[in-house]
Amino acid sequence: MKYKSLVILITGLLLSSYRPEPTYTLARLKYNGGGDWYGDRTALPNLIRFCNQNLKTNFKPQDETVEAGSAELFNYPFVFMTGHGNVIFSDQDVRNLRKYLTGGGFLHICDNYGLDKFIRPQMKRVFPELDFVELPLSHPIYHQKFDFPNGLPKVHEHDNKRPQGFGLIYKGRLVCFYDVECDLGNGWEDYGTYAGDSQETRIKALRMGANLVQYALTQ
């Protein structure tokens, strides 16, 4: 009886310590042109941790970097892009991004202020037939695990404009989400990174980020 109890105890300890291999990895898009693609350095690890805790996802704890024209792009279901400055996609980047996005991939672009005038013409090269459209407040992306009836939360103020969520919709599927006047990526960073930011705002940003991830994985 003592031996049987010991076996049960050991088995229970082994099962409780078992952690399955990560199912997915999130990635940051590296691009040319001189823009700071590497901004918001702590954003993705924090979003990954939040999703693993609240959505019960099984992402690798650390994000990876992938170049726009790389075949490795297809290893990631969700790719994050941010920056303040110039963006230049090569012809190879354009072809690769289109193939990735039309084949099931998802790109989240975060305007960290100053990116807009550069990224729009580059994405137009990827999808000449599409325009960014503002998603209505009824769109499912705002109503996943967390409900955002008023749309995107405001993280940082720049030009006294409302936050907007735009999308590229290819054959009925949202392939790219673009947040403007919002700074979601800033909101995901370590608490205290930006003076004056509240924990409440940070949680809202992480919840909206989790919605993006959940939508991208299940649409």
Side-chain angles (χ1 to χ4, degrees):
M1 182 62 71
K2 289 184 178 180
Y3 175 76
K4 184 177 180 180
S5 298
L6 181 61
V7 170
I8 293 173
L9 176 62
I10 293 174
T11 302
L13 290 172
L14 288 173
L15 289 174
S16 65
S17 63
Y18 172 71
R19 295 292 182 271
E21 287 295 314
T23 306
Y24 298 115
T25 303
L26 299 190
R28 173 190 298 272
L29 191 72
K30 181 180 179 180
Y31 52 86
N32 294 316
D36 51 337
W37 59 267
Y38 44 81
D40 296 343
R41 295 179 185 275
T42 63
L44 281 182
N46 287 332
L47 178 62
I48 289 167
R49 186 179 307 110
F50 187 86
C51 287
N52 284 347
Q53 291 173 349
N54 292 273
L55 301 183
K56 307 306 178 186
T57 49
N58 186 30
F59 292 121
K60 182 179 176 181
Q62 187 62 45
D63 63 291
E64 296 180 357
T65 298
V66 62
E67 295 188 6
S70 170
E72 298 300 314
L73 185 65
F74 297 85
N75 293 332
Y76 309 102
F78 184 101
V79 175
F80 172 72
M81 176 183 181
T82 193
H84 296 86
N86 195 24
V87 178
I88 295 177
F89 290 153
S90 68
D91 290 344
Q92 167 62 18
D93 294 340
V94 168
R95 289 191 298 269
N96 203 51
L97 280 169
R98 184 180 178 93
K99 186 176 180 181
Y100 165 73
L101 293 172
T102 59
F106 187 90
L107 176 65
H108 169 213
I109 303 172
C110 178
D111 180 12
N112 208 356
Y113 194 56
L115 186 70
D116 191 71
K117 65 181 180 180
F118 300 110
I119 190 57
R120 284 183 181 270
Q122 294 302 311
M123 290 306 296
K124 191 65 175 175
R125 293 176 61 211
V126 179
F127 288 101
E129 75 276 30
L130 301 181
D131 294 309
F132 278 110
V133 294
E134 185 169 7
L135 301 181
L137 299 182
S138 60
H139 194 278
I141 209 161
Y142 298 122
H143 308 281
Q144 296 289 307
K145 169 72 172 181
F146 303 101
D147 195 39
F148 286 85
N150 298 316
L152 288 171
K154 186 77 168 179
V155 177
H156 284 160
E157 186 63 69
H158 293 302
D159 292 327
N160 197 32
K161 296 179 180 178
R162 65 182 178 88
Q164 292 179 276
F166 294 94
L168 289 176
I169 301 173
Y170 179 80
K171 294 185 177 180
R173 177 177 167 269
L174 180 65
V175 297
C176 176
F177 181 83
Y178 177 32
D179 74 77
V180 179
E181 288 291 329
C182 173
D183 263 358
L184 270 184
N186 278 187
W188 302 341
E189 291 213 74
D190 290 346
Y191 181 62
T193 298
Y194 304 98
D197 281 5
S198 69
Q199 186 69 283
E200 180 184 6
T201 298
R202 181 171 179 268
I203 293 300
K204 287 181 180 178
L206 286 167
R207 286 177 173 175
M208 187 63 225
N211 273 14
L212 298 182
V213 171
Q214 185 176 44
Y215 182 83
L217 296 181
T218 59
Q219 70 165 326

